[in-house]
Amino acid sequence: MIVSTKVLFEQAYKKYAVGAYNINNAEQVMALFRGNINSKAPFILQLSKGARSYTDKRLLEAMIRAADEIFPEAIFAVHLDHGDEENCYDCIDSGFYSSVMIDASGEEFEENIAITKRVVDRAHEKGVAVEAELGKLGGVEEHVSVSEADAKLTDPEQVEEFVKRTGCDSLACAIGTSHGAYKFSGSQGLHFEVIEKIAELLPGFPLVMHGSSSVPQDEVERINAAGGELKGAKGVDEDEIHKAGKMGVTKVNIDTDGRLVWCRVHREHFRDHPEVFDLRPAGKVFMGEYAKYIEHKNEVLGSAGRLEEVRAAVK
Ligand code: G3H
Ligand code: 13P
Ligand code: ZN
């Protein structure tokens, strides 16, 4: 059942965080649903601009509709990740999305507000929620690359005005993470003092953490042992993710970890079975492994076992 992010956030706020997982293909969709059903967790399925154009947005959306039928017990929201204005309007008008993210975080404060407000006005007319971003994460996404020098933590002084003037429904904050597999060079971690300050200024308002992959070191080692070259890859400590969830970080975005599972499974599979050229055996292993990853992550987030509570709230 596709639901609004609003109901998911109301249920979760300061109790647990909802996993928001990026999806690109059929194997990821199947494993994501299986993993969440197995751990009885509500979840957010998110599609980036790159994911929507990788095969075709209609194919991806049709797969999600099909998964909704295949797994009728699932409760989830469908979200556009890192949209520009054009992507947001496309998703809002489609009637399929629970929420969109307008990412104008690369703009100056006033311009970020103006763009976000335009999207909020149009989204709210159609009952679609909006995630906005204030501050600048470091790291690389398909369409944006922000160097560490340009990354900027969210300024708590700006959050109240930003939320008030834009009317956004949730806020992505830069709190020390970055996108991709190379988040920290040393022992850095989340800036809990920033989370605490923002949550204090915006009580009850759902905060979003991007760049939340934990980059499991055993995955990195296995990838490297099977021919990969991921030197110095490092992610967010899972204890820190759990703690952030109790402080108001209600949506936790994860993409890279899923890619690592995919990479490890396929590298090992073709290393160990050089005679194989069929795509399905490796795809099957991947679906099993990614579902297991989702189950584990939902335990970390605290969303595991919350499905029936949420079902009662949406009835
Ligand atoms: O934050 C970005 C997500 O990891 C999506 O990445 O734009 O390469 O699909 P993508
Ligand atoms: P990771 O690169 O840490 O998985 O972050 C994903 C993300 O923030 C998607 O918006
Ligand atoms: Zn992101």
Side-chain angles (χ1 to χ4, degrees):
M1 184 194 336
I2 299 178
V3 300
S4 71
T5 42
K6 187 170 188 286
V7 69
L8 297 184
F9 293 157
E10 276 168 4
Q11 288 298 304
Y13 187 75
K14 285 204 173 172
K15 285 195 279 183
Y16 60 93
V18 183
Y21 300 101
N22 286 74
I23 286 304
N24 294 269
N25 67 12
E27 289 82 357
Q28 284 182 310
V29 171
M30 285 303 284
L32 179 66
F33 277 77
R34 261 195 218 296
N36 281 297
I37 293 299
N38 289 348
S39 59
K40 298 189 175 13
F43 64 102
I44 296 171
L45 181 158
Q46 55 184 13
L47 307 176
S48 70
K49 179 178 177 174
R52 294 177 84 241
S53 60
Y54 166 55
T55 49
D56 188 291
K57 64 187 179 189
R58 290 166 297 185
L59 190 63
L60 204 47
E61 290 165 6
M63 286 195 284
I64 297 165
R65 288 192 176 94
D68 192 21
E69 278 182 37
I70 298 165
F71 300 95
E73 63 274 54
I75 297 183
F76 63 103
V78 181
H79 175 75
L80 168 70
D81 188 31
H82 291 284
D84 56 25
E85 260 191 285
E86 196 188 328
N87 313 141
C88 285
Y89 297 147
D90 187 44
C91 293
I92 293 164
D93 293 342
S94 78
F96 181 60
Y97 290 74
S98 317
S99 58
V100 294
M101 175 194 188
I102 173 68
D103 183 354
S105 60
E107 306 290 343
E108 291 305 321
F109 187 63
E110 283 299 326
E111 187 59 11
N112 187 353
I113 288 181
I115 295 170
T116 303
K117 170 95 176 69
R118 282 200 292 275
V119 172
V120 167
D121 287 347
R122 189 135 153 202
H124 284 183
E125 256 174 44
K126 301 252 174 116
V128 175
V130 177
E131 174 184 325
E133 180 165 336
L134 187 61
K136 234 186 246 181
L137 268 76
V140 182
E141 297 154 38
E142 193 174 58
H143 303 281
V144 199
S145 171
V146 180
S147 73
E148 288 311 313
D150 288 333
K152 211 165 48 189
L153 294 183
T154 303
D155 178 357
E157 301 281 311
Q158 294 183 325
V159 296
E160 276 178 293
E161 181 183 352
F162 185 85
V163 167
K164 199 162 171 210
R165 287 178 60 195
T166 61
C168 66
D169 304 281
S170 59
L171 187 66
C173 302
I175 48 182
T177 62
S178 57
H179 290 109
Y182 301 89
K183 301 191 190 298
F184 308 111
S185 50
S187 60
Q188 308 95 320
L190 297 188
H191 284 260
F192 288 106
E193 78 290 356
V194 178
I195 304 175
E196 195 175 11
K197 195 84 221 277
I198 297 173
E200 210 175 280
L201 292 163
L202 298 173
F205 194 80
L207 307 179
V208 179
M209 181 162 77
H210 283 246
S212 313
S213 280
S214 47
V215 187
Q217 290 304 294
D218 60 319
E219 292 291 0
V220 174
E221 280 160 27
R222 287 173 73 174
I223 288 169
N224 288 341
E229 288 189 16
L230 302 181
K231 304 284 181 254
K234 194 159 183 227
V236 186
D237 184 288
E238 290 191 329
D239 291 338
E240 295 203 340
I241 297 176
H242 182 80
K243 182 172 166 190
K246 302 277 184 198
M247 294 173 70
V249 171
T250 315
K251 174 173 178 273
V252 165
N253 284 15
I254 295 169
D255 185 355
T256 295
D257 282 354
R259 296 178 184 199
L260 292 173
V261 174
W262 186 93
C263 179
R264 181 258 298 172
V265 164
H266 288 81
R267 278 197 179 278
E268 287 185 347
H269 187 81
F270 290 110
R271 176 197 63 190
D272 298 342
H273 305 280
E275 74 292 357
V276 169
F277 55 89
D278 187 355
L279 72 162
R280 290 183 305 218
K284 276 194 176 158
V285 178
F286 167 72
M287 287 190 276
E289 291 294 287
Y290 188 43
K292 270 201 262 171
Y293 168 82
I294 298 289
E295 289 167 42
H296 162 74
K297 193 51 62 169
N298 291 338
E299 292 291 338
V300 172
L301 298 174
S303 61
R306 303 287 187 164
L307 191 60
E308 295 315 315
E309 252 165 62
V310 174
R311 196 183 313 284
V314 293
K315 268 186 181 154

